Amino acid sequence: MSETAVRPNETTVPLMPCASVEDTLAFYEALGFEATYKQSKPYVYLALRWSGFDLHFGPAPKGLDPAREESGGCLVMVDAVAPYHAAFVAAMRRVHGKVLSSGLPRITRYRPGASRFTLIDPSGNSIIFIQRDEPVELEYGGSKKLTGLAKALDNARILREFKNDDLQAFRALKSAVRRHGAAAPVVERGIALCHLIDLAMVLGEPTDPWAADLRALGLTVDDRRRIESELGYLPGLQEWLP
């Protein structure tokens, strides 16, 4: 083969904006990343490594607002996402004493069996871990095989896991509970209300209205078991259930 021929052995490394060298290093090093290069002057440049991949960071453009979470991002394709989420959650608990699940920086919830989760760093960059065999097609708006509240719950799952849009998921579920809650099975309403409590906590919204509605449902032992089986990954679930 000619030495000038293109060979399929490329490596790509994302280059994302860094609003604060100190905050970026503190966040990623707490997760176990190694800084292989760092400088603040004459310009910002950071190179970080974890397991088999690298993340690089350069100067933030003028006017960058990390709170908008539109700074930059990358996809990390892996064989199984659960071990990565577990490793980062364990690191957060060791360093911070809790999981950073709201505000900046944070890690998104991981539902058992899900195919992705996201790290959002202090600069508003999104590092999305995706399982390689993830389904190609998604039914935004909820599966067409479902109706009513069940369809809305499926839509909220898509919004949270694939769009990383907790606010829209919160709004969609609030509307669906008002429209379809009365006709839905009690256990389905319970699942929706638990999701609303969790979303309210993440978004900094009051949880009292949803917690009161959940207590008023009159859940049976079987209902509780179903909810615990489906939503056991949500922190605080046992405290919410009557």
Side-chain angles (χ1 to χ4, degrees), residues 76-147:
V76 184
M77 311 303 293
V78 298
D79 291 335
V81 295
Y84 290 81
H85 193 272
F88 294 142
V89 162
M92 286 180 178
R93 288 195 174 113
R94 282 196 304 271
V95 175
H96 303 286
K98 63 178 182 178
V99 178
L100 305 179
S101 59
S102 61
L104 282 180
R106 72 180 185 278
I107 188 171
T108 59
R109 298 275 195 255
Y110 176 71
R111 174 184 57 81
S115 57
R116 62 170 61 192
F117 71 90
T118 304
L119 282 173
I120 301 95
D121 74 11
S123 297
N125 297 303
S126 293
I127 317 302
I128 307 172
F129 291 78
I130 301 177
Q131 201 155 299
R132 287 192 175 92
D133 63 354
E134 180 181 80
V136 175
E137 296 183 1
L138 297 171
E139 293 186 286
Y140 290 107
S143 172
K144 295 179 177 61
K145 298 176 182 177
L146 301 172
T147 59

Coordinates of all heavy atoms in Angstrom, one line a residue, residues 76-147:
V76 N -19.6 9.2 23.7 CA -18.6 8.2 24.1 C -19.4 6.8 23.9 O -20.2 6.5 24.7 CB -18.1 8.3 25.5 CG1 -17.1 7.2 25.9 CG2 -17.5 9.7 25.8
M77 N -19.0 6.1 22.9 CA -19.7 4.9 22.5 C -19.0 3.7 23.3 O -17.8 3.5 23.3 CB -19.6 4.6 21.0 CG -20.0 5.8 20.2 SD -21.7 6.4 20.5 CE -22.6 5.0 19.9
V78 N -19.8 2.9 24.0 CA -19.3 1.9 24.9 C -20.1 0.6 24.7 O -21.2 0.6 24.2 CB -19.3 2.3 26.4 CG1 -18.4 3.5 26.6 CG2 -20.7 2.6 26.9
D79 N -19.6 -0.5 25.2 CA -20.3 -1.8 25.1 C -21.5 -1.8 26.1 O -22.5 -2.4 25.8 CB -19.4 -3.0 25.4 CG -18.4 -3.1 24.3 OD1 -18.7 -2.7 23.1 OD2 -17.3 -3.7 24.5
A80 N -21.3 -1.3 27.3 CA -22.4 -1.2 28.3 C -22.2 0.0 29.1 O -21.1 0.3 29.6 CB -22.3 -2.5 29.2
V81 N -23.3 0.8 29.3 CA -23.2 2.1 30.0 C -23.3 2.0 31.5 O -22.7 2.8 32.2 CB -24.3 3.1 29.5 CG1 -24.1 3.4 28.0 CG2 -25.7 2.5 29.7
A82 N -24.0 0.9 32.0 CA -24.2 0.9 33.4 C -22.9 0.9 34.3 O -22.9 1.6 35.3 CB -25.0 -0.4 33.8
P83 N -21.8 0.2 33.9 CA -20.6 0.3 34.7 C -20.0 1.7 34.8 O -19.4 2.1 35.8 CB -19.7 -0.7 34.0 CG -20.5 -1.6 33.3 CD -21.7 -0.8 32.8
Y84 N -20.1 2.4 33.7 CA -19.6 3.8 33.7 C -20.4 4.7 34.6 O -19.8 5.5 35.4 CB -19.7 4.4 32.2 CG -18.7 3.7 31.3 CD1 -19.0 2.5 30.7 CD2 -17.5 4.3 31.0 CE1 -18.1 1.9 29.8 CE2 -16.6 3.7 30.1 CZ -16.9 2.5 29.5 OH -16.0 1.9 28.7
H85 N -21.7 4.6 34.6 CA -22.5 5.4 35.5 C -22.2 5.0 36.9 O -22.1 5.9 37.8 CB -24.0 5.2 35.1 CG -24.9 6.1 35.8 ND1 -25.4 6.0 37.1 CD2 -25.4 7.3 35.4 CE1 -26.2 7.0 37.4 NE2 -26.2 7.8 36.4
A86 N -22.1 3.8 37.2 CA -21.8 3.3 38.6 C -20.5 3.8 39.0 O -20.4 4.3 40.2 CB -21.9 1.8 38.6
A87 N -19.5 3.9 38.2 CA -18.2 4.3 38.6 C -18.2 5.8 38.9 O -17.6 6.3 39.9 CB -17.2 4.1 37.4
F88 N -18.9 6.6 38.1 CA -19.0 8.1 38.3 C -19.8 8.4 39.5 O -19.4 9.3 40.3 CB -19.5 8.8 37.1 CG -18.6 8.7 35.8 CD1 -19.2 8.5 34.6 CD2 -17.2 8.7 36.0 CE1 -18.4 8.4 33.5 CE2 -16.4 8.6 34.8 CZ -17.0 8.5 33.6
V89 N -20.9 7.7 39.7 CA -21.7 7.9 40.9 C -20.9 7.6 42.2 O -21.0 8.3 43.2 CB -23.0 7.1 40.8 CG1 -23.7 6.9 42.2 CG2 -24.0 7.7 39.8
A90 N -20.2 6.5 42.2 CA -19.4 6.1 43.3 C -18.3 7.2 43.6 O -18.1 7.5 44.8 CB -18.7 4.7 43.1
A91 N -17.7 7.7 42.6 CA -16.7 8.7 42.7 C -17.3 10.0 43.3 O -16.7 10.6 44.2 CB -16.0 9.0 41.4
M92 N -18.5 10.4 42.9 CA -19.2 11.6 43.4 C -19.5 11.4 44.9 O -19.3 12.3 45.7 CB -20.4 11.8 42.6 CG -20.2 12.4 41.2 SD -21.8 12.7 40.4 CE -21.2 13.4 38.9
R93 N -19.9 10.2 45.2 CA -20.3 10.0 46.6 C -19.0 10.0 47.5 O -19.0 10.6 48.6 CB -20.9 8.6 46.8 CG -22.4 8.6 46.3 CD -23.1 7.4 46.8 NE -24.5 7.5 46.4 CZ -25.1 6.7 45.5 NH1 -24.4 5.7 45.0 NH2 -26.4 6.8 45.2
R94 N -17.9 9.5 47.0 CA -16.6 9.6 47.8 C -16.2 11.0 48.0 O -15.7 11.4 49.1 CB -15.5 8.8 47.1 CG -15.6 7.3 47.2 CD -14.3 6.6 46.8 NE -13.9 7.0 45.4 CZ -14.2 6.3 44.3 NH1 -15.0 5.3 44.4 NH2 -13.8 6.7 43.1
V95 N -16.2 11.8 47.0 CA -15.7 13.1 47.0 C -16.6 14.2 47.6 O -16.3 15.0 48.4 CB -15.2 13.6 45.6 CG1 -14.7 15.0 45.6 CG2 -14.1 12.7 45.1
H96 N -17.9 14.1 47.2 CA -18.9 15.1 47.5 C -19.9 14.6 48.6 O -20.6 15.4 49.2 CB -19.7 15.5 46.3 CG -18.9 16.0 45.2 ND1 -18.2 17.3 45.2 CD2 -18.5 15.5 44.0 CE1 -17.6 17.5 44.1 NE2 -17.7 16.4 43.3
G97 N -19.9 13.3 48.9 CA -20.8 12.8 49.9 C -22.2 12.6 49.3 O -23.2 12.3 50.1
K98 N -22.4 12.9 48.0 CA -23.7 12.7 47.4 C -23.5 12.6 45.9 O -22.4 12.9 45.4 CB -24.6 13.9 47.7 CG -24.1 15.2 47.2 CD -25.0 16.4 47.5 CE -24.5 17.7 46.9 NZ -25.4 18.8 47.1
V99 N -24.6 12.3 45.2 CA -24.6 12.3 43.7 C -25.0 13.7 43.2 O -26.0 14.2 43.7 CB -25.5 11.2 43.2 CG1 -25.5 11.3 41.6 CG2 -25.1 9.8 43.6
L100 N -24.2 14.2 42.4 CA -24.6 15.6 41.8 C -25.6 15.3 40.7 O -25.3 15.0 39.6 CB -23.3 16.2 41.2 CG -22.1 16.4 42.2 CD1 -21.0 17.0 41.4 CD2 -22.5 17.2 43.4
S101 N -26.9 15.5 41.1 CA -28.0 15.2 40.2 C -28.8 16.4 39.7 O -29.7 16.3 38.9 CB -28.9 14.2 40.8 OG -29.5 14.7 42.0
S102 N -28.4 17.6 40.2 CA -29.1 18.8 39.7 C -28.1 19.9 39.6 O -27.0 19.9 40.2 CB -30.2 19.2 40.7 OG -29.7 19.4 42.0
G103 N -28.4 21.0 38.9 CA -27.5 22.1 38.7 C -26.3 21.7 37.8 O -26.3 20.8 37.1
L104 N -25.3 22.5 37.9 CA -24.0 22.3 37.2 C -22.9 22.2 38.2 O -22.8 23.0 39.1 CB -23.7 23.5 36.3 CG -24.4 23.5 34.9 CD1 -23.9 24.8 34.2 CD2 -24.2 22.3 34.1
P105 N -22.0 21.2 38.1 CA -22.1 20.0 37.2 C -23.1 19.0 37.7 O -23.4 19.0 38.9 CB -20.7 19.6 37.1 CG -20.2 19.8 38.5 CD -20.8 21.1 38.9
R106 N -23.4 18.0 36.9 CA -24.2 16.9 37.3 C -24.1 15.7 36.4 O -23.5 15.7 35.4 CB -25.7 17.4 37.4 CG -26.4 17.5 36.0 CD -27.8 18.0 36.2 NE -28.5 18.1 34.9 CZ -28.4 19.1 34.1 NH1 -27.7 20.1 34.4 NH2 -29.1 19.1 32.9
I107 N -24.7 14.6 36.9 CA -24.9 13.4 36.1 C -26.4 13.1 36.0 O -27.1 13.3 37.0 CB -24.1 12.2 36.7 CG1 -24.1 11.0 35.8 CG2 -24.7 11.8 38.1 CD1 -23.1 9.9 36.3
T108 N -26.9 12.6 34.9 CA -28.3 12.3 34.8 C -28.6 11.0 35.4 O -27.7 10.2 35.6 CB -28.7 12.3 33.3 OG1 -28.0 11.3 32.6 CG2 -28.5 13.7 32.6
R109 N -29.9 10.8 35.7 CA -30.3 9.5 36.3 C -30.1 8.4 35.3 O -30.1 8.6 34.1 CB -31.8 9.6 36.6 CG -32.3 10.7 37.6 CD -32.1 10.2 39.0 NE -32.8 11.0 39.9 CZ -32.2 11.9 40.7 NH1 -30.9 12.0 40.7 NH2 -33.0 12.6 41.6
Y110 N -29.8 7.2 35.9 CA -29.7 6.0 35.0 C -30.7 5.0 35.4 O -30.8 4.5 36.5 CB -28.3 5.4 35.1 CG -28.2 4.1 34.3 CD1 -28.1 4.2 33.0 CD2 -28.2 2.9 35.0 CE1 -28.1 3.0 32.2 CE2 -28.2 1.7 34.2 CZ -28.1 1.8 32.8 OH -28.1 0.6 32.1
R111 N -31.6 4.8 34.4 CA -32.7 3.7 34.6 C -32.1 2.4 34.2 O -31.6 2.3 33.1 CB -33.9 4.1 33.8 CG -35.0 3.1 33.8 CD -36.1 3.5 32.8 NE -35.6 3.7 31.5 CZ -35.4 2.7 30.6 NH1 -35.6 1.4 30.9 NH2 -35.0 3.0 29.4
P112 N -32.2 1.4 35.1 CA -31.7 0.0 34.7 C -32.2 -0.4 33.3 O -33.4 -0.3 33.1 CB -32.2 -0.9 35.8 CG -32.3 0.0 37.0 CD -32.7 1.3 36.4
G113 N -31.3 -0.8 32.4 CA -31.7 -1.1 31.1 C -31.7 0.0 30.1 O -31.8 -0.2 28.9
A114 N -31.4 1.2 30.5 CA -31.3 2.3 29.6 C -30.0 2.2 28.8 O -29.1 1.5 29.2 CB -31.3 3.7 30.4
S115 N -30.0 2.9 27.7 CA -28.8 2.8 26.8 C -27.9 4.0 26.8 O -27.0 4.1 26.0 CB -29.3 2.5 25.4 OG -30.2 3.5 24.9
R116 N -28.2 5.0 27.7 CA -27.3 6.2 27.7 C -27.5 7.0 29.0 O -28.5 6.8 29.7 CB -27.6 7.1 26.5 CG -29.0 7.7 26.4 CD -29.1 8.8 25.3 NE -28.8 8.3 24.0 CZ -28.6 9.0 23.0 NH1 -28.7 10.3 23.1 NH2 -28.4 8.5 21.8
F117 N -26.5 7.8 29.3 CA -26.6 8.8 30.3 C -25.7 9.9 30.0 O -24.9 9.8 29.1 CB -26.3 8.2 31.7 CG -24.9 7.9 31.9 CD1 -24.0 8.8 32.5 CD2 -24.4 6.6 31.6 CE1 -22.6 8.5 32.6 CE2 -23.0 6.3 31.8 CZ -22.2 7.3 32.3
T118 N -25.8 11.0 30.7 CA -25.0 12.2 30.4 C -24.3 12.8 31.6 O -24.9 12.9 32.6 CB -25.9 13.3 29.7 OG1 -26.6 12.7 28.6 CG2 -25.1 14.5 29.3
L119 N -23.1 13.2 31.4 CA -22.4 14.1 32.3 C -22.4 15.5 31.8 O -22.1 15.7 30.6 CB -20.9 13.7 32.5 CG -20.5 12.4 33.3 CD1 -19.0 12.2 33.1 CD2 -20.8 12.7 34.8
I120 N -22.8 16.4 32.6 CA -22.8 17.8 32.2 C -21.8 18.5 33.1 O -21.9 18.5 34.4 CB -24.2 18.5 32.4 CG1 -25.2 17.8 31.5 CG2 -24.1 20.0 32.0 CD1 -26.0 16.8 32.2
D121 N -20.7 19.1 32.5 CA -19.6 19.6 33.3 C -19.8 21.1 33.7 O -20.8 21.7 33.3 CB -18.3 19.4 32.6 CG -18.1 20.3 31.4 OD1 -18.8 21.2 31.2 OD2 -17.1 20.0 30.6
P122 N -18.9 21.7 34.5 CA -19.1 23.1 34.9 C -19.2 24.1 33.8 O -19.7 25.2 34.0 CB -17.9 23.3 35.8 CG -17.5 22.0 36.3 CD -17.7 21.1 35.1
S123 N -18.7 23.8 32.6 CA -18.8 24.7 31.5 C -20.1 24.5 30.7 O -20.3 25.2 29.7 CB -17.6 24.5 30.6 OG -16.4 24.8 31.3
G124 N -20.9 23.5 31.0 CA -22.1 23.3 30.3 C -21.9 22.3 29.1 O -22.8 22.2 28.3
N125 N -20.8 21.6 29.1 CA -20.6 20.6 28.0 C -21.3 19.3 28.4 O -21.4 19.0 29.6 CB -19.1 20.3 27.9 CG -18.3 21.5 27.4 OD1 -18.6 22.1 26.4 ND2 -17.3 21.9 28.2
S126 N -21.8 18.6 27.5 CA -22.5 17.3 27.7 C -21.6 16.2 27.2 O -21.3 16.1 26.0 CB -23.8 17.3 27.0 OG -24.7 18.2 27.6
I127 N -21.2 15.3 28.1 CA -20.5 14.1 27.7 C -21.5 12.9 27.7 O -21.9 12.5 28.8 CB -19.3 13.8 28.6 CG1 -18.5 15.1 28.9 CG2 -18.4 12.7 28.0 CD1 -18.0 15.8 27.7
I128 N -21.9 12.4 26.6 CA -23.0 11.4 26.5 C -22.5 10.0 26.3 O -21.8 9.8 25.3 CB -24.0 11.8 25.4 CG1 -24.5 13.3 25.5 CG2 -25.2 10.9 25.4 CD1 -25.3 13.8 24.4
F129 N -22.7 9.2 27.2 CA -22.3 7.8 27.1 C -23.4 7.0 26.5 O -24.5 6.9 27.0 CB -21.9 7.2 28.5 CG -20.6 7.9 29.0 CD1 -20.6 9.1 29.6 CD2 -19.4 7.2 29.0 CE1 -19.5 9.7 30.1 CE2 -18.2 7.8 29.5 CZ -18.3 9.0 30.0
I130 N -23.1 6.3 25.4 CA -24.1 5.6 24.6 C -23.7 4.1 24.4 O -22.6 3.9 24.0 CB -24.4 6.3 23.3 CG1 -24.8 7.7 23.5 CG2 -25.4 5.5 22.5 CD1 -25.0 8.5 22.2
Q131 N -24.6 3.3 24.6 CA -24.4 1.8 24.4 C -24.4 1.6 22.9 O -25.3 2.1 22.2 CB -25.5 1.0 25.1 CG -25.1 -0.4 25.3 CD -25.9 -1.0 26.5 OE1 -25.7 -0.6 27.6 NE2 -26.7 -2.0 26.2
R132 N -23.5 0.8 22.4 CA -23.3 0.6 20.9 C -24.6 0.0 20.3 O -24.8 0.2 19.1 CB -22.1 -0.2 20.6 CG -20.8 0.6 20.9 CD -19.6 -0.2 20.3 NE -18.4 0.6 20.4 CZ -17.6 0.6 21.4 NH1 -17.8 -0.3 22.4 NH2 -16.5 1.3 21.5
D133 N -25.3 -0.8 21.0 CA -26.4 -1.5 20.4 C -27.7 -0.8 20.7 O -28.8 -1.3 20.6 CB -26.5 -3.0 20.8 CG -26.8 -3.1 22.3 OD1 -26.7 -2.1 23.0 OD2 -27.0 -4.2 22.8
E134 N -27.7 0.5 21.0 CA -28.8 1.3 21.2 C -29.8 1.3 20.0 O -29.3 1.4 18.9 CB -28.4 2.8 21.5 CG -29.5 3.7 21.9 CD -29.1 5.1 22.1 OE1 -28.8 5.8 21.2 OE2 -28.9 5.5 23.3
P135 N -31.1 1.3 20.3 CA -32.1 1.3 19.2 C -31.8 2.6 18.3 O -31.6 3.6 18.8 CB -33.4 1.4 19.9 CG -33.2 0.8 21.3 CD -31.8 1.2 21.6
V136 N -32.0 2.4 17.0 CA -31.7 3.4 16.1 C -32.9 4.4 16.0 O -32.8 5.6 15.9 CB -31.5 2.9 14.7 CG1 -31.3 4.0 13.6 CG2 -30.2 2.0 14.7
E137 N -34.2 3.9 16.1 CA -35.3 4.7 16.0 C -36.0 4.9 17.3 O -36.1 4.0 18.2 CB -36.3 4.0 15.0 CG -35.8 3.9 13.6 CD -36.8 3.3 12.6 OE1 -37.9 3.0 13.1 OE2 -36.5 3.2 11.5
L138 N -36.5 6.2 17.5 CA -37.2 6.5 18.7 C -38.5 7.1 18.3 O -38.6 7.8 17.3 CB -36.4 7.6 19.5 CG -35.0 7.1 20.1 CD1 -34.3 8.3 20.6 CD2 -35.2 6.0 21.1
E139 N -39.5 6.9 19.2 CA -40.9 7.5 18.9 C -41.1 8.7 19.8 O -41.6 8.6 20.9 CB -42.0 6.4 19.1 CG -41.9 5.2 18.1 CD -43.1 4.3 18.3 OE1 -43.0 3.5 19.3 OE2 -44.0 4.3 17.5
Y140 N -40.6 9.8 19.3 CA -40.8 11.0 20.1 C -42.3 11.3 20.2 O -43.1 11.2 19.3 CB -40.1 12.2 19.4 CG -38.6 12.1 19.5 CD1 -37.8 11.8 18.4 CD2 -38.0 12.3 20.7 CE1 -36.5 11.7 18.5 CE2 -36.6 12.2 20.8 CZ -35.8 11.9 19.7 OH -34.5 11.8 19.8
G141 N -42.7 11.7 21.4 CA -44.1 11.8 21.7 C -44.7 10.6 22.4 O -45.9 10.6 22.7
G142 N -43.9 9.6 22.5 CA -44.4 8.4 23.2 C -44.7 7.3 22.1 O -45.1 7.6 21.0
S143 N -44.6 6.1 22.5 CA -44.9 5.0 21.6 C -46.3 5.0 21.1 O -47.3 5.2 21.9 CB -44.6 3.6 22.3 OG -45.1 2.5 21.5
K144 N -46.5 4.8 19.8 CA -47.8 4.8 19.2 C -48.6 3.6 19.7 O -49.9 3.5 19.4 CB -47.7 4.8 17.7 CG -47.1 6.1 17.1 CD -47.0 6.0 15.6 CE -46.5 7.4 15.1 NZ -45.1 7.7 15.6
K145 N -48.0 2.6 20.3 CA -48.7 1.4 20.8 C -49.4 1.7 22.2 O -50.2 0.9 22.6 CB -47.7 0.3 21.0 CG -47.1 -0.2 19.7 CD -46.1 -1.3 20.0 CE -45.4 -1.7 18.7 NZ -44.3 -2.8 18.9
L146 N -49.0 2.9 22.7 CA -49.6 3.3 24.1 C -50.6 4.4 23.9 O -50.6 5.1 22.9 CB -48.4 3.7 25.0 CG -47.3 2.6 25.2 CD1 -46.2 3.2 26.0 CD2 -47.9 1.4 26.0
T147 N -51.4 4.6 25.0 CA -52.3 5.7 25.0 C -52.3 6.3 26.4 O -51.8 5.8 27.3 CB -53.8 5.2 24.7 OG1 -54.1 4.2 25.7 CG2 -53.9 4.6 23.3

